[in-house]
Amino acid sequence: YQSGYLQLYINRSRIYLDRGMPDQALKDLNFFLSKNPNTTAALVNRGVAYSMKREWDKALVDFQQAEQADSNNTALLSNRALVYFSQANSKAAIPDLQRYLKIPPEDHENINQLGLAYLYTGEANLALAEMNKAVALQPQQSAYYANRALVYRVLKNAAAEKADLLKAQALGHPIR
């Protein structure tokens, strides 16, 4: 098999993943990795496929192997952080999100995730700093205000919590 031909397996696996078809993606990725066992993109994609199937341990093995080849791969870092969140292990997600944010430092979604990780690990002041960054970068994102309101609740700042909940609601966030 020539490398260009094998690349088609990675490309098709991404399409399968985008369509929510992890089993089909795994078939392509397993074949590709049987020929090229240390290819970062294939390992990350297979980790994502396992994540979609809630096979967290298999996903983490692939992410660890991918990290050996490319420790600053943003897809690896953000997807592994999501696995840690799925396992209710926010503390483990923090280093990956911190490393990720050194590469594209203004990624508001991952800044928000880092803020949540800090909140879930009892670091409310660090959480607030990250949530403020996310809101500043994307002021029309209603979920960021709702998440920051959670931080204000922990910090016992009722006025700020209410203001953020009202802003989130005005932007269309479903407030219960």
Side-chain angles (χ1 to χ4, degrees):
Y1 293 95
Q2 294 182 352
S3 64
Y5 177 74
L6 285 173
Q7 183 63 37
L8 294 174
Y9 284 89
I10 291 181
N11 295 342
R12 187 168 62 181
S13 76
R14 287 188 187 123
I15 293 168
Y16 286 141
L17 292 173
D18 288 344
R19 293 183 179 172
M21 303 165 69
D23 291 320
Q24 291 83 347
L26 284 170
K27 288 177 188 172
D28 280 352
L29 293 165
N30 287 334
F31 176 77
F32 180 91
L33 287 165
S34 73
K35 308 292 183 196
N36 297 291
N38 294 314
T39 304
T40 304
L43 288 165
V44 170
N45 285 353
R46 190 168 71 177
V48 170
Y50 283 133
S51 297
M52 292 172 76
K53 294 171 58 87
R54 299 184 183 277
E55 294 182 22
W56 313 123
D57 291 338
K58 289 181 179 179
L60 288 174
V61 167
D62 279 345
F63 293 146
Q64 294 302 109
Q65 189 176 345
E67 184 175 33
Q68 293 173 4
D70 182 2
S71 63
N72 288 320
N73 183 290
T74 55
L76 152 72
L77 295 169
S78 63
N79 282 295
R80 187 169 59 188
L82 290 175
V83 169
Y84 289 139
F85 272 119
S86 299
Q87 294 180 313
N89 188 357
S90 299
K91 188 173 186 169
I94 291 171
D96 280 349
L97 290 168
Q98 288 172 328
R99 283 176 44 209
Y100 174 95
L101 289 167
K102 288 180 182 174
I103 301 163
E106 295 189 357
D107 182 333
H108 57 88
E109 290 179 13
N110 280 300
I111 291 170
N112 179 62
Q113 290 298 320
L114 180 58
L116 288 172
Y118 282 136
L119 177 63
Y120 299 152
T121 58
E123 299 284 348
N125 289 321
L126 292 173
L128 181 59
E130 297 305 321
M131 294 297 180
N132 286 338
K133 290 179 197 173
V135 166
L137 287 168
Q138 194 69 28
Q140 297 304 311
Q141 180 58 265
S142 64
Y144 298 170
Y145 291 96
N147 291 340
R148 189 170 66 180
L150 294 173
V151 176
Y152 284 132
R153 181 179 300 159
V154 170
L155 294 172
K156 298 184 180 356
N157 185 338
E161 176 188 358
K162 182 178 180 181
D164 270 2
L165 287 174
L166 289 172
K167 180 68 173 177
Q169 192 172 31
L171 291 170
H173 194 77
I175 304 295
R176 298 179 202 125

